[in-house]
Amino acid sequence: MNADLATNPPLALDSQQFDASRFPLVRLRRRAVQPGFAFAWAAQMRRLLALATPFVIVAEHDDDETADDFRLRAAWLRTHRAALGAQCRGFIVIEPRIEARATTRETLRQLTDGSGVRTVVVSSMRVAGELTPVLLKHTAVHTNTRMSQSRAV
């Protein structure tokens, strides 16, 4: 991890929505997932992409996301799939309930389908932190790759 970027990100993110203190691990704050958050989320994602530095997004699974926010985020991800595939090395979702991981993985796959971004569902932040350097070592996945990029750990 680049210590300079971790302590002083070159492009400030909204700390109410994203925690970039461990950049290139960027954590979506659970309290940010409120009805209507998708527009602010998209603006923050554009700022992350503008860094032109590989990163990994970590978020806790949230059943309370509205259908409208889900659709808006999915549309943004489809529209920006090339840029996202070039910079984002992975989306990691924390789902502590083992019985819910398969459903969460499928939802995440739908959200990122065609982007080439690796998606993983894990049990804890500790596992997400251990997986982040592994994902960062991988080069960008081309969006025309049709193999499954989604896993549950």
Side-chain angles (χ1 to χ4, degrees):
M1 186 179 324
N2 184 327
D4 183 48
L5 286 176
T7 58
N8 189 16
L11 188 57
L13 295 174
D14 179 353
S15 64
Q16 296 297 312
Q17 191 155 79
F18 283 108
D19 174 2
S21 65
R22 294 177 56 194
F23 190 86
L25 183 153
V26 179
R27 187 168 184 183
L28 175 64
R29 295 185 187 275
R30 185 174 177 86
R31 67 178 177 260
V33 181
Q34 300 292 323
F37 88 105
F39 291 107
W41 175 89
Q44 295 305 302
M45 290 298 293
R46 282 191 299 276
R47 287 182 174 178
L48 272 173
L49 291 175
L51 293 174
T53 303
F55 62 90
V56 172
I57 298 282
V58 177
E60 293 178 48
H61 176 69
D62 192 335
D63 287 326
D64 296 331
E65 181 175 6
T66 68
D68 286 341
D69 283 327
F70 182 85
R71 280 191 295 275
L72 286 168
R73 290 190 326 126
W76 188 93
L77 290 167
R78 278 191 305 275
T79 303
H80 295 85
R81 72 175 51 143
L84 193 64
Q87 298 301 324
C88 184
R89 296 298 187 257
F91 277 113
I92 302 173
V93 173
I94 300 169
E95 174 53 80
R97 300 169 300 155
I98 194 167
E99 68 278 3
R101 286 190 201 130
T103 303
T104 301
R105 184 178 60 245
E106 178 58 24
T107 301
L108 186 57
R109 186 198 60 76
Q110 290 174 7
L111 191 63
T112 60
D113 191 38
S115 69
V117 175
R118 289 173 176 83
T119 57
V120 186
V121 178
V122 301
S123 60
S124 66
M125 185 60 202
R126 181 189 58 78
V127 176
E130 292 170 358
L131 185 57
T132 296
V134 175
L135 291 174
L136 287 166
K137 286 181 184 176
H138 290 281
T139 57
V141 176
H142 298 292
T143 56
N144 60 2
T145 302
R146 296 309 307 163
M147 67 182 200
S148 174
Q149 299 294 328
S150 191
R151 298 191 43 188
V153 177

